Amino acid sequence: MDFSYSEDQEALRNLSREILADKATHERLCEIEAGDEGWDRELWAELCKASLVGACLPGAFGGMDLGIIEMTILLEEVGRAVAPVPLWATLALAALPIAELGNDEQKQRWLPGVVSGEVILTGAFEEPDSVNPLEPSTKADRDAKGWRLYGTKICVQSAHVAARVLVPAHAEDGKIGLFLIDPKASGVKLERQRATNREPVFTLVLEGARAEQPDVLQEPTSDESILRRVVERATVGLCAMQLGVADRALRMTAEYTTEREQFNRPIGSFQAVHTRAADAYVQVEAMRVTLQQAAFLLSENRPASIEVSVAKYWAAQGGSFTTYAAQHLHGGIGIDNDYPLHRSYIWSRHLELTLGAAANHLEWIGDQLAETPSVS
């Protein structure tokens, strides 16, 4: 089987890598980290100008009709550049679900703005009371005007600049719906925090937040596959970002250990160094092939729950191993804030724990295997 990308996919990768490498420099990242907003508007505008933000959205709304595999290509490059832009939040958490589940009015209301860069969206899938995003504890109560939501979401990215937050919530009968919540509306409270990778994240407290009919993306349903598909695509996007982070850290390490000398020899020639680097390489390649398998199955609309959890396990485990090894092999300079490698480490920690850590996904894989009928 040929796992290589097509010419168009390679062109997409090259264009996004070129823009991100040019704009997300170490100096620029320092500026963003020192500011209050926490994301790079200029870089976002450049990505929109190149039609990259909306590339995976329908052509009828200004996109390019590309798919899940292309989304992973873009997000891998964002991870490689450790770029502070809300591409994962906007695209994977909200815009793609709107494109798939929304009615014509909802698509027309939000998607053209995403393509142009005028609209930022995000999603809220993490909760303090539930580690499984498929089992939200947030409640939705119906009234005469629509729905009111009650609950707390944590680690919500880009909520301070988002026009809407996609929120899954349980109705009284146990069915799960998807609602688009205005983060500035009455009944919504945002509490700002700082993630491990220095990005602002928010605790979203819903105290009767209203979702009227135009903001109901999916009426509560007993079909759990709808929320599962949203979460699985978002998880695969995270895996792609983690692959970019780890791959870049390993390449920086290879370059450093080739040039840095001790006892008149490159330190990469010492067995203890190249053995550890080789172990990291194995981890990165495992991350790559498991991601490709999960993304391929999702792109074909085939069941992929186990494969997505396998990919997230390797992304969490392999990303952590690789960036830790990269810092170790760099020595003291690896943790110097004036040297760019340190961002790979803090980004990998953040991505490792988002939408389930490695241990959570191992548990979910076990649960699914236990439910699978044995073949005699």
Side-chain angles (χ1 to χ4, degrees):
M1 182 175 288
D2 183 5
F3 290 101
S4 58
Y5 290 131
S6 68
E7 288 187 13
D8 288 344
Q9 290 169 334
E10 284 293 345
L12 183 74
R13 174 197 292 279
N14 292 338
L15 177 60
S16 55
R17 184 174 297 185
E18 180 181 342
I19 293 173
L20 289 160
D22 183 48
K23 299 297 181 183
T25 62
H26 174 65
E27 293 74 18
R28 178 60 177 165
L29 296 179
C30 289
E31 285 181 34
I32 298 299
E33 290 166 355
D36 290 331
E37 200 162 51
W39 69 295
D40 192 338
R41 287 183 181 272
E42 293 180 14
L43 175 55
W44 186 251
E46 289 296 322
L47 293 172
C48 292
K49 184 179 175 183
S51 302
L52 294 175
V53 171
C56 300
L57 297 177
F61 302 98
M64 298 168 62
D65 285 318
L66 301 181
I68 300 301
I69 293 176
E70 286 78 8
M71 179 194 77
T72 65
I73 292 173
L74 290 172
L75 289 173
E76 181 183 341
E77 295 310 313
V78 169
R80 184 183 310 281
V82 289
V85 289
L87 185 62
W88 178 70
T90 295
L91 184 60
L93 295 186
L96 285 177
I98 291 173
E100 181 170 325
L101 302 171
N103 56 38
D104 289 343
E105 181 183 343
Q106 289 168 330
K107 294 176 185 177
Q108 190 60 51
R109 185 181 183 190
W110 299 116
L111 299 187
V114 170
V115 173
S116 68
E118 296 169 358
V119 171
I120 305 296
L121 302 171
T122 189
F125 293 85
E126 308 258 11
E127 295 186 343
D129 302 328
S130 174
V131 296
N132 190 343
L134 299 177
E135 299 174 357
S137 62
T138 298
K139 302 295 183 185
D141 291 342
R142 187 188 289 276
D143 64 14
K145 294 183 178 179
W147 295 87
R148 285 190 179 277
L149 271 60
Y150 301 86
T152 300
K153 302 285 186 177
I154 58 174
C155 301
V156 182
Q157 296 186 13
S158 307
H160 59 319
V161 292
R164 289 292 186 275
V165 183
L166 181 59
V167 175
H170 262 117
E172 189 175 358
D173 56 6
K175 297 177 180 177
I176 299 177
L178 293 170
F179 306 90
L180 294 166
I181 297 297
D182 181 351
K184 299 179 179 62
S186 175
V188 182
K189 185 165 66 175
L190 292 179
E191 297 174 358
R192 182 169 178 144
Q193 297 168 319
R194 196 184 195 205
T196 307
N197 66 347
R198 300 178 184 142
E199 287 188 3
V201 294
F202 294 82
T203 295
L204 180 76
V205 180
L206 304 169
E207 299 172 331
R210 177 165 294 286
E212 296 183 359
Q213 199 56 41
D215 285 325
V216 178
L217 186 63
Q218 173 64 54
E219 287 283 349
T221 173
S222 56
D223 184 357
E224 61 90 27
S225 68
I226 293 174
L227 176 58
R228 180 179 292 280
R229 180 166 170 79
V230 172
V231 171
E232 288 177 351
R233 284 191 304 201
T235 304
V236 163
L238 274 179
C239 296
M241 292 176 70
Q242 184 77 305
L243 174 61
V245 169
D247 188 78
R248 184 202 188 200
L250 184 58
R251 290 177 186 278
M252 290 178 66
T253 304
E255 183 177 347
Y256 178 79
T257 56
T258 301
E259 295 176 351
R260 174 87 161 84
E261 292 190 354
Q262 189 62 268
F263 308 116
N264 297 319
R265 294 170 55 188
I267 62 173
S269 66
F270 297 124
Q271 185 177 27
V273 174
H274 61 64
T275 299
R276 183 133 204 224
D279 287 342
Y281 175 79
V282 171
Q283 298 278 333
V284 169
E285 292 309 302
M287 294 166 64
R288 194 186 313 280
V289 296
T290 53
L291 166 64
Q292 288 177 334
Q293 182 186 29
F296 168 74
L297 291 174
L298 289 175
S299 72
E300 296 286 311
N301 290 321
R302 291 164 57 180
S305 297
I306 291 178
E307 289 79 5
V308 169
S309 278
V310 169
K312 184 58 166 66
Y313 167 79
W314 279 105
Q317 196 81 354
S320 175
F321 180 95
T322 302
T323 54
Y324 183 77
Q327 283 210 304
H328 184 197
L329 296 176
H330 271 80
I333 195 173
I335 58 172
D336 188 340
N337 284 351
D338 292 327
Y339 188 72
L341 181 73
H342 76 280
R343 289 193 184 86
S344 301
Y345 185 79
I346 60 178
W347 269 61
S348 74
R349 289 297 175 275
H350 177 66
L351 296 172
E352 173 189 354
L353 301 175
T354 303
L355 293 184
N360 298 125
H361 282 274
L362 276 184
E363 180 181 351
W364 298 335
I365 292 169
D367 290 343
Q368 292 179 74
L369 290 176
E371 294 172 359
T372 303
S374 59
V375 178
S376 57

